[in-house]
Amino acid sequence: MYIRNFLTEDERRHLLDASEGQFRHSAVADGKRGTRRTSQSAYVARDHVVKCIEERALSVQGYDVPSSHLEPLQLVKYAPEEEYHFHTDWFADPAYTLPVNGGNRVSSFFAYVYTRNDTTGGGTNFPLLDAPVDQRWCDIVDCDEPWDRGLTFRPVAGNAIYWENLRSDRRSGNYKALHAGLPLSSGEKVGLNIWTRQAPLSEEARSYMTYPI
Ligand SMILES: O=C(O)CCC(=O)C(=O)O
Ligand SMILES: [Fe+2]
């Protein structure tokens, strides 16, 4: 699902201000810094603005998920050449879906917080989904990509993509949710992940996930 104007301009500025100086190189699920995710990430403290964004993320999900199922909000920042290779947000390895972490990730929001004016590249690509054919989607979908690359969203500040990671049994992962943060050719991009778990996270994990950042 695509949501235009998921974040207001004030919220976007607030997220950038609140995370200034907090970014560090992203790790993936094994906790190591690697070549798969070359961006930098930061968790944002749950202040009143963040709580408001969390409420909105819960409302999109029909209010049937309590806020205790939300991971701390995570910002991710890309410079030129940086990217996040193909991955799913759900985990196949049970080590990352322990009860303290609330099980697996049921759903994901990826919102675009900032894209510098000179940004090129840096779309979010879903290789196993079909791009819509209607040209009217081209403001948000990268229509210049060849059709066999699947669906690529342009990084449009304020907008968000929402998808479900698990199949309808809400247990097994959906491989169609495979996606990548494509490398930037120029500019700067900051995105926001909001991940909902199957069950409540421990109090500690709710404020700071030790992995993966
Ligand atoms: O940067 C993007 O477009 C996607 C990032 C992503 O998938 C993630 O952080 O899990
Ligand atoms: Fe992702």
Side-chain angles (χ1 to χ4, degrees), residues 159-178:
N159 294 358
I161 319 165
Y162 169 80
W163 67 93
E164 283 168 8
N165 291 306
L166 303 183
R167 294 171 195 272
S168 49
D169 63 5
R170 286 175 75 87
R171 284 170 195 279
S172 51
N174 182 2
Y175 285 95
K176 282 206 158 188
L178 187 75

Side-chain angles (χ1 to χ4, degrees), residues 133-145:
V133 284
D134 197 305
Q135 293 292 310
R136 280 173 288 190
W137 290 107
C138 297
D139 59 333
I140 53 161
V141 166
D142 189 342
C143 298
D144 301 330
E145 286 279 2

Side-chain angles (χ1 to χ4, degrees), residues 14-26:
H14 178 85
L15 290 171
L16 295 175
D17 289 346
S19 60
E20 212 182 305
Q22 314 243 3
F23 283 91
R24 52 193 182 88
H25 272 282
S26 311

Side-chain angles (χ1 to χ4, degrees), residues 37 76 78 84 87 89 110 112 122-124 179-181 189 193 195:
R37 196 182 192 194
V76 52
Y78 299 80
Y84 190 0
H87 66 280
D89 290 346
F110 190 73
Y112 302 105
T124 308
H179 59 282
K189 160 186 155 192
N193 280 303
W195 285 306

Side-chain angles (χ1 to χ4, degrees), residues 73-192:
L73 268 50
Q74 189 201 65
L75 290 178
V76 52
K77 177 157 81 175
Y78 299 80
E81 318 274 305
E82 292 181 349
E83 63 184 317
Y84 190 0
H85 276 271
F86 293 111
H87 66 280
T88 57
D89 290 346
W90 58 270
F91 300 107
D93 184 342
Y96 304 113
T97 60
L98 297 173
V100 282
N101 293 328
N104 220 329
R105 287 176 173 156
V106 176
S107 65
S108 302
F109 288 84
F110 190 73
Y112 302 105
V113 177
Y114 173 72
T115 43
R116 219 168 64 195
N117 284 341
D118 59 341
T119 301
T120 52
T124 308
N125 174 244
F126 292 78
L128 303 178
L129 301 186
D130 292 327
V133 284
D134 197 305
Q135 293 292 310
R136 280 173 288 190
W137 290 107
C138 297
D139 59 333
I140 53 161
V141 166
D142 189 342
C143 298
D144 301 330
E145 286 279 2
W147 65 270
D148 58 354
R149 279 200 67 175
L151 172 59
T152 303
F153 292 101
R154 298 179 189 280
V156 180
N159 294 358
I161 319 165
Y162 169 80
W163 67 93
E164 283 168 8
N165 291 306
L166 303 183
R167 294 171 195 272
S168 49
D169 63 5
R170 286 175 75 87
R171 284 170 195 279
S172 51
N174 182 2
Y175 285 95
K176 282 206 158 188
L178 187 75
H179 59 282
L182 298 178
L184 264 73
S185 309
S186 61
E188 188 184 17
K189 160 186 155 192
V190 179
L192 170 70

Side-chain angles (χ1 to χ4, degrees), residues 11 14 45-56:
E11 288 166 345
H14 178 85
R46 190 169 283 113
D47 60 24
H48 68 286
V49 176
V50 169
K51 280 188 187 155
C52 186
I53 297 169
E54 286 188 333
E55 263 313 295
R56 195 171 308 138

